[in-house]
mmCIF file of all heavy atoms in Angstrom:
data_model
loop_
_atom_site.group_PDB
_atom_site.id
_atom_site.type_symbol
_atom_site.label_atom_id
_atom_site.label_comp_id
_atom_site.label_asym_id
_atom_site.label_seq_id
_atom_site.Cartn_x
_atom_site.Cartn_y
_atom_site.Cartn_z
ATOM 1 N N SER D 184 -42.322 68.303 -56.553
ATOM 2 C CA SER D 184 -41.637 69.598 -56.598
ATOM 3 C C SER D 184 -40.242 69.505 -55.983
ATOM 4 O O SER D 184 -39.296 70.158 -56.449
ATOM 5 C CB SER D 184 -42.457 70.651 -55.846
ATOM 6 O OG SER D 184 -43.778 70.724 -56.335
ATOM 7 N N ASN D 185 -40.106 68.700 -54.928
ATOM 8 C CA ASN D 185 -38.811 68.543 -54.260
ATOM 9 C C ASN D 185 -37.733 68.058 -55.235
ATOM 10 O O ASN D 185 -36.603 68.552 -55.233
ATOM 11 C CB ASN D 185 -38.932 67.548 -53.103
ATOM 12 C CG ASN D 185 -39.799 68.066 -51.976
ATOM 13 O OD1 ASN D 185 -39.600 69.161 -51.471
ATOM 14 N ND2 ASN D 185 -40.788 67.278 -51.584
ATOM 15 N N TYR D 186 -38.105 67.089 -56.057
ATOM 16 C CA TYR D 186 -37.111 66.485 -56.949
ATOM 17 C C TYR D 186 -36.885 67.309 -58.215
ATOM 18 O O TYR D 186 -35.844 67.162 -58.863
ATOM 19 C CB TYR D 186 -37.487 65.025 -57.229
ATOM 20 C CG TYR D 186 -37.016 64.129 -56.096
ATOM 21 C CD1 TYR D 186 -37.648 64.143 -54.856
ATOM 22 C CD2 TYR D 186 -35.895 63.319 -56.239
ATOM 23 C CE1 TYR D 186 -37.190 63.363 -53.804
ATOM 24 C CE2 TYR D 186 -35.429 62.531 -55.199
ATOM 25 C CZ TYR D 186 -36.071 62.563 -53.980
ATOM 26 O OH TYR D 186 -35.606 61.800 -52.937
ATOM 27 N N ILE D 187 -37.824 68.188 -58.555
ATOM 28 C CA ILE D 187 -37.556 69.175 -59.607
ATOM 29 C C ILE D 187 -36.426 70.095 -59.138
ATOM 30 O O ILE D 187 -35.474 70.379 -59.875
ATOM 31 C CB ILE D 187 -38.823 70.004 -59.917
ATOM 32 C CG1 ILE D 187 -39.953 69.107 -60.451
ATOM 33 C CG2 ILE D 187 -38.494 71.123 -60.906
ATOM 34 C CD1 ILE D 187 -39.658 68.431 -61.770
ATOM 35 N N LEU D 188 -36.515 70.535 -57.894
ATOM 36 C CA LEU D 188 -35.480 71.403 -57.330
ATOM 37 C C LEU D 188 -34.132 70.680 -57.239
ATOM 38 O O LEU D 188 -33.078 71.268 -57.505
ATOM 39 C CB LEU D 188 -35.912 71.903 -55.950
ATOM 40 C CG LEU D 188 -37.043 72.935 -55.963
ATOM 41 C CD1 LEU D 188 -37.682 73.052 -54.589
ATOM 42 C CD2 LEU D 188 -36.531 74.296 -56.432
ATOM 43 N N LEU D 189 -34.150 69.402 -56.896
ATOM 44 C CA LEU D 189 -32.906 68.648 -56.819
ATOM 45 C C LEU D 189 -32.245 68.538 -58.195
ATOM 46 O O LEU D 189 -31.020 68.638 -58.320
ATOM 47 C CB LEU D 189 -33.167 67.249 -56.247
ATOM 48 C CG LEU D 189 -33.540 67.205 -54.758
ATOM 49 C CD1 LEU D 189 -34.002 65.807 -54.374
ATOM 50 C CD2 LEU D 189 -32.358 67.636 -53.889
ATOM 51 N N GLY D 190 -33.064 68.343 -59.236
ATOM 52 C CA GLY D 190 -32.518 68.304 -60.593
ATOM 53 C C GLY D 190 -31.880 69.624 -60.980
ATOM 54 O O GLY D 190 -30.817 69.663 -61.616
ATOM 55 N N TYR D 191 -32.529 70.711 -60.590
ATOM 56 C CA TYR D 191 -31.979 72.051 -60.846
ATOM 57 C C TYR D 191 -30.631 72.220 -60.136
ATOM 58 O O TYR D 191 -29.670 72.747 -60.718
ATOM 59 C CB TYR D 191 -32.975 73.107 -60.357
ATOM 60 C CG TYR D 191 -32.490 74.532 -60.501
ATOM 61 C CD1 TYR D 191 -32.749 75.251 -61.666
ATOM 62 C CD2 TYR D 191 -31.782 75.160 -59.479
ATOM 63 C CE1 TYR D 191 -32.303 76.566 -61.806
ATOM 64 C CE2 TYR D 191 -31.332 76.460 -59.600
ATOM 65 C CZ TYR D 191 -31.591 77.165 -60.765
ATOM 66 O OH TYR D 191 -31.141 78.464 -60.906
ATOM 67 N N ILE D 192 -30.538 71.750 -58.900
ATOM 68 C CA ILE D 192 -29.296 71.863 -58.130
ATOM 69 C C ILE D 192 -28.194 71.014 -58.767
ATOM 70 O O ILE D 192 -27.041 71.446 -58.871
ATOM 71 C CB ILE D 192 -29.534 71.454 -56.664
ATOM 72 C CG1 ILE D 192 -30.443 72.492 -55.973
ATOM 73 C CG2 ILE D 192 -28.217 71.312 -55.903
ATOM 74 C CD1 ILE D 192 -30.946 72.066 -54.606
ATOM 75 N N ILE D 193 -28.540 69.804 -59.221
ATOM 76 C CA ILE D 193 -27.560 68.944 -59.893
ATOM 77 C C ILE D 193 -26.971 69.661 -61.103
ATOM 78 O O ILE D 193 -25.754 69.657 -61.318
ATOM 79 C CB ILE D 193 -28.211 67.607 -60.321
ATOM 80 C CG1 ILE D 193 -28.489 66.743 -59.098
ATOM 81 C CG2 ILE D 193 -27.318 66.850 -61.318
ATOM 82 C CD1 ILE D 193 -29.342 65.516 -59.370
ATOM 83 N N GLU D 194 -27.836 70.298 -61.898
ATOM 84 C CA GLU D 194 -27.353 71.010 -63.083
ATOM 85 C C GLU D 194 -26.462 72.189 -62.700
ATOM 86 O O GLU D 194 -25.434 72.439 -63.346
ATOM 87 C CB GLU D 194 -28.538 71.485 -63.922
ATOM 88 C CG GLU D 194 -29.330 70.357 -64.557
ATOM 89 C CD GLU D 194 -30.297 70.824 -65.625
ATOM 90 O OE1 GLU D 194 -30.714 72.015 -65.581
ATOM 91 O OE2 GLU D 194 -30.650 70.011 -66.496
#
Side-chain angles (χ1 to χ4, degrees):
S184 305
N185 293 308
Y186 278 72
I187 298 296
L188 289 163
L189 290 170
Y191 177 90
I192 292 170
I193 289 170
E194 293 193 336

